Amino acid sequence: MKKRTSLSILIVFLCVLFIGVGTTFAYIIATTHELVNTFTIGEIELTLTETTGNSFKLIPGVTHKKDPTVTVKKGSEDCWLFIKADPSADLYMYADYAIDDGWIDLEGEAGVYYRKVYEAKTDTAFPVIKDNTVTILEDLTEEELSFIRIKPTLKFKAYAVQMDGFNTPDDAWDAVIVEKGE
């Protein structure tokens, strides 16, 4: 019986020892949920369209509908939006037009206009020519028109540069010049 009691005491002692040692090695551990950062590519998408055609007659006093429009597409980032008007050197002798309200003349850059456009929630259109019209000067004579050898032209091109990283339109336009070789 003494052996049995000694064995029972030994078993109880070993159990207490294992429990004590086991709890001594238990650690307090905590975890959080996984935080995932996803980086997507920002973009600016734009179009330059015109529905009124691109061929017009020089008829004194006639006003032609001309509707070049720059559209910044939905989801585009905040940007500096530029339009470059490139009339042939002699166009001013035959026609009159103005750039639409909201465009700001970029000082020191002939024919370049800009505006700030904030993140586009929808497609946003910006007309280029005021009242969408070009008027042929009414005091042109047949004789003046007969001297035309090269047809006068009016070209437009649109550019957009992310606003982030560019504090001024001049800085953004410089990036266009470097990137596009304009």
Side-chain angles (χ1 to χ4, degrees):
M1 182 84 153
K2 235 178 178 189
K3 277 186 169 184
R4 202 178 252 184
T5 305
S6 295
L7 184 60
S8 293
I9 292 174
L10 181 62
I11 290 174
V12 170
F13 176 74
L14 287 175
C15 286
V16 169
L17 180 65
F18 285 127
I19 291 172
V21 169
T23 57
T24 303
F25 293 112
Y27 298 102
I28 299 173
I29 298 173
T31 63
T32 67
H33 66 283
E34 183 176 52
L35 179 63
V36 178
N37 293 287
T38 303
F39 295 86
T40 59
I41 298 171
E43 67 179 350
I44 302 169
E45 187 179 346
L46 59 127
T47 61
L48 177 59
T49 59
E50 186 169 15
T51 63
T52 55
N54 58 9
S55 183
F56 303 92
K57 295 194 183 256
L58 290 171
I59 300 172
V62 170
T63 297
H64 295 287
K65 291 300 273 178
K66 186 157 179 54
D67 68 346
T69 303
V70 180
T71 301
V72 178
K73 297 300 207 168
K74 176 183 177 180
S76 292
E77 304 297 322
D78 295 348
C79 65
W80 296 98
L81 180 61
F82 296 93
I83 192 76
K84 184 175 183 180
D86 188 14
S88 58
D90 57 349
L91 183 67
Y92 76 93
M93 295 170 42
Y94 309 109
D96 187 34
Y97 71 94
I99 298 299
D100 199 44
D101 297 334
W103 292 99
I104 302 166
D105 188 9
L106 186 62
E107 196 171 315
E109 295 291 337
V112 178
Y113 303 86
Y114 73 93
R115 65 189 323 138
K116 287 182 176 183
V117 178
Y118 294 96
E119 183 180 358
K121 303 286 187 218
T122 61
D123 287 359
T124 308
F126 301 98
V128 176
I129 296 178
K130 187 173 182 97
D131 301 323
N132 290 327
T133 60
V134 173
T135 302
I136 307 305
L137 302 178
E138 60 185 46
D139 60 351
L140 286 175
T141 66
E142 273 189 61
E143 184 180 355
E144 289 172 317
L145 293 173
S146 70
F147 286 113
I148 296 176
R149 298 291 174 248
I150 299 174
K151 295 176 183 173
T153 60
L154 177 55
K155 300 175 192 173
F156 293 102
K157 191 167 185 179
Y159 306 86
V161 178
Q162 68 188 40
M163 199 176 296
D164 192 27
F166 297 99
N167 295 323
T168 67
D170 295 301
D171 292 341
W173 183 247
D174 287 346
V176 169
I177 292 170
V178 169
E179 181 70 24
K180 300 293 182 189
E182 294 293 322

